């Protein structure tokens, strides 16, 4: 226990408290010896990252319960299901292969916050194959995953604002039954404007 606490940068008292709260799984026991492994250390680092991002211990306990019981973390976080995006099931090893060396506790916490990652039993689910593929491609091109996730958070803010604009527009001038049918028109406008904006920006002298 002392070795694990030291590796995680916490006190033994804090580690005992986490164990009592069920935030980490029990150790493997051989007689009177309790063995902790890299999974315990990874869990502690994830807890630390979540605390730094403003999560409470009660909230982290809910997430931990979801991991242990196989409940979907989407249920815990009340995340909406994607309407078009194709979810991707991954083992932790497969996720690490997509982002070699970049799957840190901090990045996992950021991805959980954004709702990119949820869990289903022992598997990890990325909510969008397109976002997974693009994120992995950017990392392969040398963009740090932490920066990709920060950009994703900013894009989310702008996307929500655009969605609000078009939702208000359509609700003001179309019947409720037609809203989903007209949804692709809003997407086409945004895609065209983004394409034009990228052309303008790329032509600018750095």
């Amino acid at each position: 226990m002392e070795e694990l606490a030291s590796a995680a940068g916490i006190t033994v008292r804090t580690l005992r408290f986490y164990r009592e709260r069920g935030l980490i799984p029990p150790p493997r026991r051989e007689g009177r010896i309790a063995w902790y492994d890299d999974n315990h250390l990874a869990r502690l680092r994830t807890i630390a990252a979540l605390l730094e991002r403003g999560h409470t211990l009660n909230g982290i306990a809910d997430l931990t319960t979801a991991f242990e019981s196989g409940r979907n973390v989407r249920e815990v976080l009340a995340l909406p299901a994607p309407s078009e995006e194709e979810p991707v099931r991954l083992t932790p090893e497969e996720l690490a292969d997509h982002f070699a060396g970049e799957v840190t506790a901090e990045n996992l916490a950021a991805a959980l916050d954004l709702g990119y990652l949820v869990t289903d039993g022992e598997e990890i689910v990325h909510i969008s194959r397109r976002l997974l593929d693009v994120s992995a491609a950017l990392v392969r091109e040398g963009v740090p995953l932490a920066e990709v996730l920060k950009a994703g958070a900013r894009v989310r803010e702008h996307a929500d604002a655009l969605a609000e604009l078009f939702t208000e527009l359509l609700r003001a001038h179309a019947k409720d039954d037609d809203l989903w049918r007209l949804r692709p028109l809003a997407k086409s406008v945004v895609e065209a404007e983004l394409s034009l904006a990228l052309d303008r920006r790329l032509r600018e002298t750095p």
Side-chain angles (χ1 to χ4, degrees):
M1 182 178 284
E2 291 179 356
E3 292 175 358
L4 177 63
S6 176
I10 60 175
T11 65
V12 173
R13 182 178 180 181
T14 298
L15 178 56
R16 286 199 179 99
F17 176 72
Y18 287 169
R19 276 191 54 187
E20 291 169 359
R21 291 289 301 272
L23 295 174
I24 63 171
R28 177 175 59 85
R29 291 193 173 275
E30 291 183 2
R32 300 183 62 183
I33 301 175
W35 294 100
Y36 294 91
D37 56 27
D38 289 341
N39 291 326
H40 292 92
L41 181 58
R43 177 69 65 84
L44 289 172
R45 287 174 174 168
T46 299
I47 291 171
L50 289 170
L51 287 172
E52 288 179 3
R53 297 182 70 84
H55 291 269
T56 65
L57 283 177
N58 285 337
I60 296 172
D62 286 339
L63 289 173
T64 301
T65 300
F67 275 102
E68 298 293 341
S69 66
R71 287 171 54 206
N72 194 317
V73 175
R74 180 185 302 282
E75 300 171 6
V76 180
L77 300 178
L79 296 171
S83 59
E84 288 182 296
E85 299 306 311
E86 176 190 357
V88 183
R89 292 181 174 273
L90 303 160
T91 65
E93 292 77 17
E94 289 170 337
L95 180 66
D97 287 342
H98 275 81
F99 306 100
E102 297 273 349
V103 182
T104 63
E106 292 78 9
N107 287 338
L108 284 173
L112 281 168
D113 279 351
L114 281 170
Y116 285 174
L117 296 180
V118 295
T119 62
D120 187 6
E122 296 182 356
E123 290 184 307
I124 297 170
V125 181
H126 195 294
I127 64 168
S128 169
R129 179 174 295 278
R130 287 195 295 179
L131 287 175
L132 173 64
D133 290 344
V134 170
S135 299
L138 287 170
V139 170
R140 287 196 299 271
E141 293 294 332
V143 182
L145 180 56
E147 296 302 317
V148 172
L149 293 169
K150 288 179 183 177
R154 293 185 61 189
V155 170
R156 173 75 57 80
E157 293 176 4
H158 293 295
D160 282 341
L162 289 168
E164 182 179 6
L165 186 157
F166 278 104
T167 300
E168 292 178 353
L169 176 67
L170 294 177
R171 283 179 173 161
H173 300 283
K175 297 178 181 179
D176 288 345
D177 293 343
D178 292 333
L179 296 181
W180 284 94
R181 180 176 61 82
L182 297 175
R183 181 177 179 274
L185 299 179
K187 285 182 56 184
S188 294
V189 172
V190 173
E191 290 172 0
E193 286 290 354
L194 178 59
S195 178
L196 293 170
L198 285 170
D199 290 344
R200 290 194 298 271
R201 291 287 186 177
L202 292 173
R203 283 195 295 265
E204 292 177 358
T205 303

